[in-house]
Amino acid sequence: MAPGLPTAMDRPHFIGIGGAGMSGIAKILAQRGARVAGSDSRESATAESLRALGATVHIGHAAGHLADDATCVVVSSAIRADNPELVRAAELGVPVVHRSDALASLMGGLRAIAVAGTHGKTTTTSMLAVALTELGLDPSYAIGGDLEGPGTNARHGAGDIFVAEADESDRSFQKYDPEVAIVLNVELDHHANYASMDEIYDSFETFVGKVVPGGTLVISADQPGAVELTSRLRDLSTLKIVTYGDSPSADVRVHKVTPRGLTSEVTVLLDGRYLTFTVSVPGSHYAHNAVAALAAGVALGIPAHNLASALGKYTGVKRRLQLKGEENGVQVIDSYAHHPTEMTADLEAMRGATASDSSSGRLLVVFQPHLFSRTQELATEMGQALALADASLVLDIYPAREDPIPGVTSTLITDAARRAGADVTPVADKATVPDVIAGMAKPGDLVLTMGAGDVTDLGPAILARLSN
């Protein structure tokens, strides 16, 4: 049986309750019987889903939103110290709990799988959640995106397994004690918190060091950062290390990935036997995510052939190459990619999808950079990635939690893209994008909206304009 409410979490108040990570924790607490309340900056479908679970959700931030009988205030690293609800919590003496601590408390007493890596966490966590549910194991899960089928990012299950994303961005993943840890890749990102790769490696080493004695690390055998991390971990005698990937030395070897339109067929070699299954999203990187999920499930003692079949039931997660629709022969797909590695992987996947469909259509991209700090450090690489598209529109930077940095604009990206030979056009007014795309797109083309900000909102508007 899954445990009940953690101590002092029976009347939590979430600041920023609509966020991907925060809302998942709030949903699980509500399903466990907590009286959940919180606030967010704007109305959303997530806010409505929380209200349907009995939560009180305020729009906007004000001191009066915090109830006098709240037992704790849950925050993420994005919440500023001058937030009026946080200030009010200090006045009332209400304990403040970081999101990661709240999630760690929910995992207590369960067999936890923590999925880490610079890219691919949401997809891999989702694949595991779907497969374990399909096998009747009724897991709990907290994901950074909404599953296509259930339409939610979190669930309290009656089983003894908890699957969660482990966020490295603010080092909060160091607070978990998983039975199985997955490390998909290790790259330099989140430049406001990490100054070098050495700091990244140190952070991941601490995360892996929290795996319970006798537990398992599932880690890529191909990605250079993951390989380097593995070389630093071999002296951990209480840890079993399972590698996966294309490398001939991988414990779970990816034998073949065959593109089939917007899906892939994956064959792996495990314990001397071949297993073949289907992944519902295109691209080799998503196939490798599925293999990591397979290896993690096997580490928990689940038969590999059962897992392989159950992984075929995964139908996707919102914003991870999500097909938003098709109008007049033009498909519109949404991608959360915002780091150059992710951008390149998704663009290559879309190239492979059009090739396997024998399509002569073009790949048109609408890209919205995410964060000034990331653009400052990686603008050149983002521009080079956009050279994989036939044509791209580049929007202004989505700031999220950051203040502007002088001289850092999306022009850095468009200039780099042009140097790389890309056909790229800056667009200052996001509202004009549907008209611009409608003037460019022809039957057979793919339109990819890409970025971690509100560029996702353009998909329906583009489809509506294409229908006219």
Side-chain angles (χ1 to χ4, degrees), residues 100-389:
S100 57
D101 291 306
L103 180 56
S105 70
L106 292 176
M107 293 185 196
L110 298 174
R111 305 181 71 192
I113 304 176
V115 183
T118 314
H119 329 289
K121 294 185 290 294
T122 296
T123 298
T124 308
T125 309
S126 301
M127 289 174 169
L128 271 166
V130 168
L132 296 175
T133 300
E134 177 68 20
L135 292 173
L137 298 174
D138 200 12
S140 297
Y141 55 82
I143 305 170
D146 289 338
L147 287 169
E148 280 281 22
T152 185
N153 60 334
R155 182 177 181 274
H156 165 62
D160 65 350
I161 299 174
F162 196 118
V163 188
E165 287 193 37
D167 183 12
E168 84 285 358
S169 66
D170 56 1
R171 296 178 171 82
S172 61
F173 68 162
Q174 299 174 5
K175 298 178 180 179
Y176 311 137
D177 300 295
E179 180 175 335
V180 179
I182 299 176
V183 174
L184 302 164
N185 35 62
V186 182
E187 292 189 35
L188 182 59
D189 195 8
H190 310 293
H191 302 87
N193 292 321
Y194 293 103
S196 67
M197 277 302 300
D198 281 338
E199 288 190 14
I200 292 278
Y201 285 130
D202 288 344
S203 189
F204 272 85
E205 283 186 73
T206 301
F207 164 68
V208 173
K210 295 296 293 294
V211 174
V212 299
T216 302
L217 169 65
V218 175
I219 189 166
S220 171
D222 304 325
Q223 199 271 328
V227 172
E228 171 61 22
L229 178 64
T230 303
S231 72
R232 301 182 179 209
L233 299 172
R234 288 300 182 183
D235 60 343
L236 296 179
S237 58
T238 64
L239 182 70
K240 179 180 180 181
I241 298 178
V242 175
T243 60
Y244 72 93
D246 299 324
S247 171
S249 64
D251 298 310
V252 185
R253 184 179 178 187
V254 180
H255 176 69
K256 188 177 184 182
V257 178
T258 305
R260 300 197 184 282
L262 292 179
T263 68
S264 298
E265 185 178 86
V266 186
T267 301
V268 299
L269 180 61
L270 172 63
D271 294 332
R273 298 180 59 188
Y274 288 99
L275 287 172
T276 299
F277 58 97
T278 298
V279 178
S280 67
V281 283
S284 177
H285 59 304
Y286 288 117
H288 282 69
N289 292 161
V291 175
L294 176 74
V298 170
L300 286 182
I302 303 169
H305 65 279
N306 291 349
L307 277 164
S309 176
L311 284 166
K313 302 298 183 181
Y314 170 76
T315 57
V317 64
K318 293 179 181 178
R319 305 231 50 210
R320 272 62 178 182
L321 294 187
Q322 178 191 8
L323 178 63
K324 302 303 287 283
E326 180 176 347
E327 290 289 349
N328 287 320
V330 179
Q331 290 183 319
V332 178
I333 295 172
D334 191 34
S335 164
Y336 189 72
H338 50 279
H339 183 282
T341 300
E342 299 164 348
M343 295 167 63
T344 299
D346 278 4
L347 289 167
E348 288 178 343
M350 290 295 90
R351 281 289 186 205
T354 56
S356 65
D357 277 342
S358 300
S359 170
S360 59
R362 299 167 301 157
L363 178 57
L364 310 178
V365 174
V366 182
F367 176 60
Q368 182 186 53
H370 186 260
L371 298 181
F372 294 100
S373 60
R374 183 177 286 119
T375 303
Q376 183 179 41
E377 297 293 333
L378 299 174
T380 297
E381 292 83 354
M382 291 177 185
Q384 291 169 344
L386 291 176
L388 291 167

Side-chain angles (χ1 to χ4, degrees), residues 29-94:
L29 282 169
Q31 290 166 355
R32 288 192 185 184
R35 197 179 77 196
V36 174
S39 63
D40 205 44
S41 59
R42 63 174 182 167
E43 195 62 73
S44 64
T46 299
E48 281 301 309
S49 67
L50 284 160
R51 292 188 185 108
L53 291 172
T56 299
V57 180
H58 304 279
I59 302 305
H61 299 292
H65 293 336
L66 178 62
D68 292 345
D69 64 347
T71 52
C72 69
V73 169
V74 184
V75 299
S76 71
S77 299
I79 303 302
R80 299 183 184 232
D82 61 355
N83 181 282
E85 293 160 38
L86 192 55
V87 172
R88 180 59 175 161
E91 293 172 353
L92 294 174
V94 178

